[in-house]
Amino acid sequence: MRGPTPKPEPRPGPKATRGSDPASAGLWVRLAVDGHFGEFLQGRLGPEGPVVLVTLPSPLTGTVVEARRASSLQINGIDGGPDPAALTVFLHDLGLPATGHFRFRARAEAGAGTGVSTATLVALARAAARLAGAPPPGPETLAQASLAVEGATDPLMLDTPSRYLWAPRRAAILEPLSEPPSFEIVGGLWGPPSPTNAADAAFPDIADLLEDWRMAVACRDLAGLAALARMSADRTRAHRSVAPDPLDDLARELGAMGTAIAHTGAARALLFAPETVPDDAEHALSEAGFRAVLRFRTPPC
């Protein structure tokens, strides 16, 4: 029997959390930015087109930040990420003061394909704005500032990131899409971390899959969407010679509708219709060698 599904951190809302005595303790905030767990689709929009994706949002990945006022910029909890000089430029580009003490806790390991790096930048910007009493940066402004730091960025600054065809190396929405219906996800990490290389465009053409995705979303065709996600994963594996993993065998064994992967990263996911996950699914992934196994439902819940 599986244990209770972990409750996700609260999504960042319009109100900051403050200390009980700001005059003595100083203003402080705590907020979370949700990540993703690989992508439903990722590839090139035509043989020579841009790299595009439809992200698979997750309330159990991303980043949590706690921040308080300070006279200088102090960053803790970012391992292998941007250095303070780059973050200072990032905040200045957003018109925010490069001051404050920020302590981050990533909900997944870096390089796993779960959006830790982008979520960290979004969290930093939102927390810095709250400390300064300023409005949060708009999604487009935040996306471009994040791109300048990362070179390729996830759409985690958007309220409903799976509703868009996103160009990560342009940090831009190419097309609004309908939000896919809810899946229940059981997944884990397989293989070593694999940070995204912003100069890497060696992905297969998925223009045909995207056309079918639009139709399947419009029809609320859960099985069709799961099959398209599996096709995208299979194409990337073949095109990029990704090392094999037991995901497909587990999908057959557990009756999953489809699979999804981080097209650059270690995340691997089984896609189920809600309320159809076998009780032993998480155990089966752990026994097969997956680490950091988790279970969640994609929005809308």
Side-chain angles (χ1 to χ4, degrees), residues 131-298:
L131 288 180
E140 183 176 350
T141 300
L142 187 47
Q144 291 304 312
S146 299
L147 182 68
V149 175
E150 298 184 285
T153 192
D154 293 306
L156 304 181
M157 66 292 299
L158 304 175
D159 287 339
T160 51
S162 59
R163 286 192 60 246
Y164 301 96
L165 180 65
W166 180 257
R169 286 143 181 81
R170 299 180 183 180
I173 296 170
L174 295 190
E175 178 188 341
L177 303 168
S178 298
E179 188 171 16
S182 183
F183 284 97
E184 197 154 359
I185 306 296
V186 180
L189 306 183
W190 181 270
S194 178
T196 298
N197 176 1
D200 178 9
F203 292 90
D205 181 3
I206 61 164
D208 59 326
L209 299 184
L210 180 61
E211 183 176 351
D212 291 340
W213 181 268
R214 296 186 191 99
M215 295 178 60
V217 170
C219 296
R220 316 303 288 170
D221 180 4
L222 206 64
L225 293 169
L228 290 166
R230 177 184 54 77
M231 290 180 206
S232 182
D234 288 347
R235 285 189 190 181
T236 289
R237 283 191 177 110
H239 191 85
R240 297 172 69 84
S241 300
V242 175
D245 60 57
L247 192 66
D248 289 338
D249 291 339
L250 285 165
R252 287 189 291 270
E253 175 188 333
L254 297 171
M257 301 180 80
T259 59
I261 66 171
H263 293 251
T264 56
R268 301 288 184 268
L270 299 176
L271 279 59
F272 295 88
E275 311 300 335
T276 67
V277 179
D279 287 344
D280 63 344
E282 292 105 310
H283 178 72
L285 265 69
S286 296
E287 286 292 299
F290 287 86
R291 65 186 185 279
V293 173
L294 76 176
R295 176 174 172 176
F296 62 93
R297 187 174 293 193
T298 63

Side-chain angles (χ1 to χ4, degrees), residues 60 105 232:
L60 299 184
R105 177 177 61 81
S232 182

Side-chain angles (χ1 to χ4, degrees), residues 2-32:
R2 64 180 181 86
T5 301
K7 292 183 178 180
E9 297 280 352
R11 292 177 179 269
K15 295 183 179 179
T17 302
R18 300 173 181 247
S20 59
D21 184 5
S24 61
L27 178 67
W28 64 275
V29 301
R30 183 182 188 277
L31 59 83

